[in-house]
Each structure stands twice: as C-alpha cells, then as structure tokens.
Amino acid sequence: MPLDHTSPGLDALLIAAVLQMELSPRDNRVAEKRYKLIPSHLEREGSPLRLHVDNALVYAQGSRAIGTTIVHGADEDRFDLDAILEFDTPFGWTPRRVLDELFEAFQGFPDVQDIERCTRCIQLRFAFMHLDVTPMDPALKPRPERVGAIYHSPDEGHDERHKVNPYGFAEWFKGQISLPSQMFQAQVRSLRNQLEIKDRLRPSIIVADADIDELPETVDPIQDAPQLLALKLMKRYLNLRYVNRSEKRPISVYLSKVAAQIPPNSFGICAQLEDLAAELDRRMKYALETGRRPEERNPAFPQENFNDRWPQNTRQMEMFRGDLRHLFAELQRARTSEVGQIQKIFDGLFGERISGNAVRTYMDSLSNSPQKNTYELGKGFVATPALLTPGVARAAATSKAPAHNFHAGELRKK
C-alpha cells in the first residue's frame, strides 16, 4: 500500500502519530506478564475462588486481542486492556456473587494500586494501565469455540447473563484484515524503531525486570495494516472528544467491526481514515432517518449485539455524527496545509504530545534525507520524505486528491 499520492507528507505524519500511541515492546511484555499472573493469584492459598478456577482459561479480548491498543489520550500515559476469565459458575452462585467473590480474590494482586468492582468486570488499576477482567461461564459442550455467558450485575436492577463470543470476534476480525505489502510493513517497523517509543510501565520488585525480559516479544503483522492504523486514529480522536462529556461514547468493538469491513484504500492512510468516518456517518444517518437503533451483531456469534448499551438516544447518535463530520473536515483542511498548520490540526484531533512528537520525527527525517522535498499547496510533498519509502511518490506532483462523498453508499466489495 503506498502513501497517499496527493499528500505523502500527511500520511507520513499520520503514521508517525499513530505509532506514538502504541505500547513500547517492554510495556507489551509487562502487560503480558500481568495476564499470566491472573491464574496463579486466583489459585493462591486463601483465595475465595481457589476451589473453582482449577481449569480456568485467561485470554485477551478487545484491543489487546486484535492489535489496536493505544494510550488513552485523556490520560496521556494510560492504556486500557481487557481479559476474559473463563470458569464454570459454582452451583447456586448469582452474577452478583461471582463478581463480588472475584473482587475479593483479586485483592493483593502484584503492583495493583486500586481495584474496582464494575457491573460486568473487575478493573485492576496499575500505574499507567487498567486491566478489566470479565468473568465468563463457558457454554455447555458441544459449543462454538469459547462461547459463554458474561455476568451483568448493576447496583440497581436485576442481575443478567449475556451470551457472547469475544474470542470468535477477534478471530473473525483478523481474518478480515488485508495485510499491507512486505515493503510497507518493513518501513513502518523501521519508523517504529526510529521513534523509540518510551516505556510507561515500571514493574515493582514483585514483578521483576528479569521476569519481564524473559518473555518473548510478539509482533503481529496485522497491527500495521491500514484498517488498523485508521482504527487506532479514530479511537484516539474519540477518546479526546468524549473526555469532558457525560454522554456514553460508541463502544470500541463496534468501531472495530466497521473498520474491518472497509477495504484498504489505495490512496493511503488519510483516505482510509476518511472512509471509516464516512461509513460510520452513513450508518448514523440511516439510524436517525429510520428511527432504528444501529444494531451491530457479532459475525462469529449473531446472538450477541455489540450495541446493546449504546446508543441510548438520538442525541448520542447526533453527537457522534457531529464528531465524524468534524474529523473529516479537519483532515480535508490538513491536505492543503503547511506542516506547522497540520501540527495545530493534529493537536486538536490526537493531542499535543502525540502530534508534536510526530512532527519532530518527520522534520528530523527530512533534514537527514539527501532527497529534495518540496511542498506545493493542494498537492502536499511532491517527493516522499525519508520517514517512509523514497520511491512511491513520483506521481504526487500531478495526481489529484481522490474524490470522496462523505455520505458514502454501500461498502465496496472486496
């Protein structure tokens, strides 16, 4: 996949920005270590769940499972991870009791600063990291792989169980993603190494550095696919838009499903993000015009509705639609802006620290490049910066920005 022929500099800046949002290799190892500590902690002497989790299964769900974890944005250094804890519900236990007992069992977890019992999960709060552990009762066999019921127990109202399959969704998602070329992957990896993404997690004596360094570094090539890069940018943008709002925001798994259904755009990362905004806007427009809530089913388990708790009303859909239109308008403005103005636009979209670091890396790459780079209003950089491949922007001087109808129609077929 090439850089955007019309704005290779803008695409390079977007990629540099999204890489700044990622976890460092060491932070990934710290997170993995904390996942691995869950079974032994719950099975320890004195744990109220000790007799019930002998065959428990712990695995990542959400962003961790599909490679889209980013720093939150509202808290620049915090990131949120999710895990499923699969074990048979003890006989006679209500959803409330399962969550209450799990809350007690997690007391004393290594490095944890605070623990909160939520309506569906237990949230472990560490410095710079939250880990939501959702208990799940596996369905009776034979069953689709890892289908089960999660618990919902609010402070007021009735306890509930909801059948879900987060594992199945993650596998479906990865199957939908189109990998970029080997060259593009190598270029993004090289840029990631140049950026030297800082370590945010500092293990205590309990979780020793030696233990962390022993864990292998896992690199999934889909994390650099255009659909994932656009999804990470969308998530970061929405995190910042909703930070001072009381309204619920769209759930991440809904955004993830839509992002996976949009084919790679040959015009680059900016165009991919515009496609995602346009498709989400189209769905909100349809929901508002028809009065039908935008149900989004798990393709691996259609009984599961991702949007069971959002949107709650038309105001939330209208707010979301306004955010999408604002994002699209700002990206269009960035296409014809100088680097300094692009940084100001990115400050508002993705946060000042992220945009500042991205622009500094970009400008450093230009100063170190023997290749001449010139900027033309409306065309972007007519020679690709050294930040990424030097050979893909030859058409930039003459190509025109791709036409885009923001109220997109049906998705293009793959």
Side-chain angles (χ1 to χ4, degrees), residues 78 146 194:
R78 194 194 90 211
R146 301 191 190 181
Q194 290 178 44

Side-chain angles (χ1 to χ4, degrees), residues 258 262 274-284 408-409 411:
V258 176
I262 298 174
E274 290 169 345
D275 280 356
L276 177 55
E279 176 58 21
L280 289 166
D281 177 77
R282 184 190 70 81
R283 296 183 184 210
M284 290 302 102
L411 285 175

Side-chain angles (χ1 to χ4, degrees), residues 11 34 46 61 79-80 131 138 160 162 166 185 193 208 213 225 243 253 276 300 302-303 317 331 356 362 380 402:
D11 260 6
R34 287 174 175 162
Q61 71 155 332
F79 56 92
D80 302 329
L131 175 57
E160 298 174 352
H162 298 274
Q185 293 180 50
N193 293 334
D213 293 336
V243 64
V253 69
L276 177 55
Q303 290 177 248
M317 289 188 284
L331 291 174
Y362 173 78

